[in-house]
Amino acid sequence: MKLKPIAVVAILSISLLNCGKPQPKLTEKKCAEIIYQMHKADAIISLKKLNDTDLKNDSLSYYNYIFKKEGITRQEFIEAINWYIVHPEQYKDLYDKIIKQVEANAKAEEERISATDSIKNNEPKIQNLWNLHPSYRMPDDGETNPVAFEIPATKAGFYILSADIRMFSDDGTKNPRMTLTANYEDGTSESNSNNGFEKDGIMRTISVKIKTDNGKKLKNLSGWLLDHSDGTTKKHIAADNIKLEYQQE
C-alpha cells in the first residue's frame, strides 16, 4: 500500500517552516499514529467525495477531529511536522513506522477475512435438526404413536424428513404416511406427505421434502414421522436413522 502525502500538512508546514526550532514535544510514536489516522481520513474523504474545506471549523474537519481525539492542538502537530521536514533522516524513520503500521493492519484484516471465509466454508452444507429419538419400535414405543414433532427452524430453504422404515405385514396402520409442515410467523403453514409405505417387512428409506416460502418468516417445522388416519390399530413398525435435514437453496 502506497501512502499519499497529506496536502493539508504540506500547506500548513510550509507556512510555518523554521529550521531553528527545537525537537517538538510530540513523540515520534504519537506523530506516526496521527499521520496514520490522517491517511485513513483521506481515504474516507475520497470515498465519500468530501473535502476538508473549512479547516477552522472543528466540527467539519476530519483532521481537527483527530487532533481532538489524540488530545493535541493543530499548532502542536504543525510544529512537529516542521521539525521532521528539516530532519530528513528522522522523517524517513517516521514514515517507515507508518508504512509498517499500515502493512501490519492490512495483514491483520486479511487474516480476519480469511478466518471468516474458512469458518463459512467449513459450515456443513446439510444440517440435521432432528432432536428426538434416533429410532422407534412400535408397539413398544406406543401402539398407535404417530411420532409427532415440533422443531424450531428459521432459515429459508429445503427441509427433508427421512427415516429407514420397516413395516411388517401385521401392522394395523390406516393410510400410513410421513408428513412435514412448515409453520410461519404469520400463522400460515404448508405441508407435504409421502405415502410410500409397504407392509412387507422390507426396510425402505422414506422421505418427504418441503421448500419454505422465502417471502415469509419461518417459525418452526412440525409433523408426524409415522402419520396415519382414523381407524389405526396396533402398529408394527421399526424406524431407524431418522433425520430432519436443512439444506440451503
Side-chain angles (χ1 to χ4, degrees), residues 133-173:
H133 296 299
S135 63
Y136 287 89
R137 296 290 183 272
M138 310 306 178
D140 293 346
D141 291 324
E143 290 189 352
T144 58
N145 183 5
V147 189
F149 63 88
E150 182 176 288
I151 296 174
T154 58
K155 297 179 180 179
F158 295 98
Y159 290 87
I160 304 170
L161 175 65
S162 66
D164 295 335
I165 303 292
R166 189 189 303 270
M167 206 167 201
F168 298 91
S169 58
D170 60 343
D171 178 83
T173 304

Side-chain angles (χ1 to χ4, degrees), residues 12-240:
L12 295 172
S13 298
I14 291 171
S15 65
L16 296 175
L17 185 60
N18 186 334
C19 297
K21 286 190 175 182
Q23 186 169 351
K25 295 180 180 180
L26 193 62
T27 66
E28 182 186 71
K29 182 178 179 180
K30 188 80 164 179
C31 195
E33 174 62 25
I34 292 171
I35 293 174
Y36 171 69
Q37 290 186 42
M38 282 181 158
H39 282 297
K40 289 174 63 177
D42 283 340
I44 294 172
I45 292 169
S46 176
L47 182 63
K48 294 184 177 181
K49 296 182 179 179
L50 300 174
N51 292 309
D52 191 14
T53 54
D54 190 354
L55 298 179
K56 295 181 181 180
N57 188 335
D58 288 352
S59 65
L60 299 179
S61 171
Y62 275 84
Y63 296 141
N64 281 335
Y65 168 77
I66 294 169
F67 297 149
K68 280 188 174 182
K69 186 176 69 171
E70 294 299 325
I72 69 165
T73 66
R74 179 180 292 274
Q75 184 64 30
E76 287 173 331
F77 179 71
I78 291 171
E79 289 174 356
I81 293 300
N82 281 337
W83 186 88
Y84 279 108
I85 287 176
V86 296
H87 293 82
E89 290 300 321
Q90 288 87 343
Y91 206 179
K92 181 180 180 300
D93 290 342
L94 175 68
Y95 258 85
D96 284 344
K97 286 182 172 60
I98 296 170
I99 291 171
K100 287 179 180 179
Q101 183 175 358
V102 170
E103 291 173 346
N105 287 358
K107 183 178 179 180
E109 179 64 13
E110 288 177 3
E111 291 175 351
R112 184 192 67 79
I113 293 173
S114 177
T116 300
D117 290 342
S118 177
I119 292 172
K120 289 181 179 179
N121 292 335
N122 289 329
E123 286 182 352
K125 301 300 181 182
I126 299 177
Q127 301 173 26
N128 184 14
L129 305 180
W130 186 258
N131 57 10
L132 302 179
H133 296 299
S135 63
Y136 287 89
R137 296 290 183 272
M138 310 306 178
D140 293 346
D141 291 324
E143 290 189 352
T144 58
N145 183 5
V147 189
F149 63 88
E150 182 176 288
I151 296 174
T154 58
K155 297 179 180 179
F158 295 98
Y159 290 87
I160 304 170
L161 175 65
S162 66
D164 295 335
I165 303 292
R166 189 189 303 270
M167 206 167 201
F168 298 91
S169 58
D170 60 343
D171 178 83
T173 304
K174 296 293 184 181
N175 187 24
R177 59 193 182 273
M178 183 181 290
T179 301
L180 179 61
T181 300
N183 302 296
Y184 300 101
E185 291 286 357
D186 63 1
T188 61
S189 63
E190 51 187 321
S191 298
N192 194 16
S193 295
N194 186 340
N195 300 80
F197 292 79
E198 296 288 343
K199 299 181 181 183
D200 55 10
I202 298 174
M203 185 179 70
R204 295 178 174 83
T205 299
I206 307 296
S207 65
V208 59
K209 184 177 184 178
I210 195 166
K211 180 181 181 297
T212 63
D213 189 337
N214 287 332
K216 296 182 180 180
K217 187 175 181 182
L218 185 63
K219 180 180 180 181
N220 59 46
L221 298 169
S222 62
W224 297 269
L225 180 70
L226 302 173
D227 201 1
H228 60 256
S229 298
D230 291 343
T232 293
T233 57
K234 187 176 180 178
K235 291 184 175 184
H236 190 183
I237 304 173
D240 296 289

